[in-house]
Amino acid sequence: MEQLPAHRPLTVVQLPDGSHVYADPAALPVQQPTGPQVVHIHQAPPDRTVQRVALGSGVGAGAVAAGVYFGPLLVGVLTAIAANLAILALLAAVMAWGVVTVVRSVGGSDGKAAAKRLSRKGR
């Protein structure tokens, strides 16, 4: 058993023609690097940019799955919140307009007479 050579795991190697094979990297001829690889992530569609950044930085499939699932979910939740706030603002404006209309009809345009009438009734 001690005479056996150390086990060398096979790895996936990309050949110059672009194909991938399982091979021992030590058995292949040495390839000179052609220069830095430039990846233009800004050319990706907007919904895939985060996924490409996550994959490029080695974060893994969990981050990509979370981005794919929670991205649209977050947009939907924020849209629903904005719609609720818009409806509440419209409701507050209508109620304020109603209060102003009632006060003006009761006491005139300045509201002083309405204040006097309400203070008399309170006594």
Side-chain angles (χ1 to χ4, degrees):
M1 287 295 236
E2 295 173 6
Q3 297 94 345
L4 294 176
H7 176 66
R8 299 174 105 180
L10 296 178
T11 58
V12 178
V13 179
Q14 184 175 9
L15 297 176
D17 65 351
S19 62
H20 293 81
V21 294
Y22 286 102
D24 184 6
L28 295 174
V30 178
Q31 296 179 359
Q32 298 295 329
T34 58
Q37 181 181 7
V38 179
V39 178
H40 297 283
I41 61 171
H42 64 275
Q43 294 176 351
D47 58 335
R48 299 193 188 268
T49 303
V50 173
Q51 300 164 26
R52 290 188 180 191
V53 169
L55 285 176
S57 62
V59 173
V64 175
V68 169
Y69 182 75
F70 289 115
L73 191 66
L74 180 64
V75 170
V77 167
L78 292 177
T79 304
I81 291 171
N84 287 340
L85 290 176
I87 290 172
L88 287 175
L90 178 67
L91 186 63
V94 168
M95 290 178 73
W97 173 78
V99 169
V100 168
T101 303
V102 168
V103 168
R104 283 186 180 168
S105 67
V106 169
S109 62
D110 59 355
K112 291 180 183 178
K116 287 181 183 177
R117 287 183 187 162
L118 288 174
S119 64
R120 282 189 226 154
K121 289 182 180 181
R123 293 183 192 172

